[in-house]
Amino acid sequence: MQTFAALLFAYVLSIFFRSFLSVLATKIMADMGIGATELAAMSSAWFIVFAVMQFPVGWALDALGPRRTVIPLMLIGGIGVVLFPFAADATTGAVAMGLIGVGCAPVFMGALYIFARTAEPSRFGLLASLLLGFGSIGNLIGTTPLALAAETWGWRQAMMGLAVLYGLAFVMAVLFLKDPPRIAAQAGSGVLAGLGEILRQRVIWLFMPIVLFSYAITVTLRGLWVAPFLEKVVGLDTLAQGDVALAMAIAMTLSAFLFGAIESRIGRAKALALGGNLVMVGVLAVLAAVGKPTVPAATLAFIVLGFCGFGYTILMAHMRPLFPDHLVGRGMTLMNFLFIGGAALVQTGSGWLIDQGRTAGIGEVETFARMHLVLAAVLFAATLVYLLTPPGPKRR
């Protein structure tokens, strides 16, 4: 419970910062005079920095412990949180988002490290899913509440309020975060030490495609393209867009609790992940085929994508037995690097696809349909590779 108290608020904000740009996209692009590619690059800056930071974070968790890892990096993140509301252009916004990525990078991994070191293996997936579920309140904040705040006070003022909340999260981490007992075995003193031992396990490579793309597609749709798609294709206004994004965020939150409870009780992490990803492939393919769905159909599609695409902790639970205790920090942060690095890749690529379609003059409906089709194809290929992985542990 102390870990939850120390890091839950910070993780709520970490979830918020990876997805809030979708709701503010139209306002930010108009205010800064930028297009979809620049907006995607701004969002990608958070994911790229977050992903790269996983390597030093993994080393620091194993060598220094969570407290001396999380608190200094959160302090750096605070600079970005304060800077973002004053950004006048995409470059400054990207720098601010990158700094925020530094501050968010150790939060979830710090908690998972403590769970992996102190909890029974059968409870790891449940604890991780509970943290993810409660942390997904950040998704909820970044939907209708953020849209209302931006409409009432302006997007810059709304983000200044988030800076105050970030300061409170930092104080909670300082007061409550404690390290687990140290262990004698270490994989070496270098940042990359121990990664070779992990990567020499051939089975790890079978997980990589699904880790790279499954979460990335969900967070890209929720974090960037829900609102623009609903505006340009479906014809909804800002508050209605926020309502659909809120419904998607609620589905993501509920799935974190439900899948975590199922995995903790019966195991079968692989079956859960496979089912969720195959449903996502189907929904994306339908969106591509239909092109311009009705409002109820679009709402249902994004709810299902949110519910089935948040199997992040289930994949982590599937992979946890592959990492020995002295490498658990580096093992989990390597996978987190792929989760978040994949999001940066998909966001950048999807932004390029959107701008290419608009440049070619093919229309918004066909532009988004093409993006959905590409995402469906990539996820289907990754899921086929995941079929070759060993089954997850069963519970008695």
Side-chain angles (χ1 to χ4, degrees):
M1 291 304 294
Q2 191 175 49
T3 302
F4 273 85
L7 295 178
L8 177 57
F9 197 8
Y11 188 56
V12 167
L13 296 179
S14 177
I15 292 288
F16 171 87
F17 283 121
R18 71 187 63 182
S19 61
F20 77 98
L21 282 177
S22 174
V23 170
L24 301 181
T26 302
K27 295 181 182 298
I28 291 176
M29 285 191 288
D31 192 358
M32 295 184 180
I34 60 176
T37 299
E38 291 85 1
L39 180 74
M42 191 186 305
S43 180
S44 294
W46 187 96
F47 287 93
I48 291 169
V49 172
F50 187 106
V52 172
M53 284 298 300
Q54 295 309 299
F55 294 109
V57 164
W59 167 83
L61 289 172
D62 285 329
L64 305 176
R67 184 174 178 82
R68 287 189 288 174
T69 301
V70 172
I71 291 174
L73 295 182
M74 280 192 68
L75 190 60
I76 295 172
I79 299 172
V81 176
V82 173
L83 175 62
F84 187 80
F86 298 96
D89 52 41
T91 300
T92 308
V95 170
M97 290 296 289
L99 291 171
I100 296 171
V102 172
C104 296
V107 175
F108 190 52
M109 286 298 101
L112 291 191
Y113 178 86
I114 295 173
F115 296 156
R117 287 284 318 283
T118 60
E120 292 294 325
S122 61
R123 289 179 55 80
F124 176 82
L126 176 62
L127 291 171
S129 293
L130 287 174
L131 182 63
L132 181 63
F134 285 117
S136 295
I137 292 171
N139 259 327
L140 308 183
I141 296 172
T143 56
T144 302
L146 179 61
L148 287 171
E151 287 290 320
T152 304
W153 298 297
W155 74 267
R156 295 183 185 274
Q157 289 75 15
M159 295 307 298
M160 289 178 191
L162 266 294
V164 175
L165 296 180
Y166 187 93
L168 293 176
F170 177 77
V171 170
M172 291 181 66
V174 170
L175 292 178
F176 298 118
L177 183 60
K178 305 295 181 185
D179 290 330
R182 290 185 59 81
I183 56 178
Q186 294 294 327
S189 59
V191 171
L192 299 180
L195 291 180
E197 182 178 339
I198 294 170
L199 293 175
R200 280 193 292 273
Q201 300 182 64
R202 293 182 180 179
V203 67
I204 291 292
W205 294 88
L206 298 176
F207 284 93
M208 287 188 177
I210 199 72
V211 169
L212 196 62
F213 292 112
S214 60
Y215 173 76
I217 289 173
T218 301
V219 78
T220 294
L221 294 173
R222 167 62 190 88
L224 276 183
W225 304 123
V226 169
F229 174 77
L230 294 172
E231 177 191 9
K232 302 294 186 181
V233 175
V234 184
L236 298 184
D237 61 22
T238 301
L239 292 182
Q241 296 162 29
D243 289 340
V244 176
L246 175 62
M248 184 179 184
I250 291 173
M252 294 166 74
T253 302
L254 293 177
S255 71
F257 288 118
L258 178 62
F259 289 158
I262 293 173
E263 196 283 330
S264 177
R265 185 175 181 85
I266 66 172
R268 303 191 179 278
K270 181 177 178 178
L272 290 170
L274 274 175
N277 282 291
L278 289 174
V279 171
M280 285 182 64
V281 169
V283 173
L284 288 168
V286 169
L287 282 176
V290 172
K292 185 176 181 178
T294 63
V295 173
T299 302
L300 178 62
F302 285 114
I303 288 173
V304 174
L305 287 169
F307 187 82
C308 294
F310 222 41
Y312 176 84
T313 55
I314 300 304
L315 286 171
M316 280 287 195
H318 191 181
M319 291 180 286
R320 167 62 184 97
L322 302 175
F323 309 132
D325 283 347
H326 68 286
L327 291 175
V328 69
R330 271 161 273 205
M332 290 192 303
T333 51
L334 172 62
M335 293 301 107
N336 207 38
F337 166 79
L338 295 174
F339 276 118
I340 302 303
L345 178 65
V346 172
Q347 288 195 349
T348 302
S350 61
W352 179 83
L353 281 172
I354 296 294
D355 274 345
Q356 284 293 107
R358 289 172 177 171
T359 301
I362 64 174
E364 296 290 344
V365 173
E366 188 174 344
T367 293
F368 277 98
R370 184 173 64 172
M371 182 191 75
H372 291 142
L373 182 60
V374 170
L375 295 180
V378 169
L379 184 58
F380 183 65
T383 304
L384 290 180
V385 177
Y386 182 60
L387 279 170
L388 302 176
T389 61
K394 299 178 181 179
R395 312 293 180 218
R396 291 184 178 180

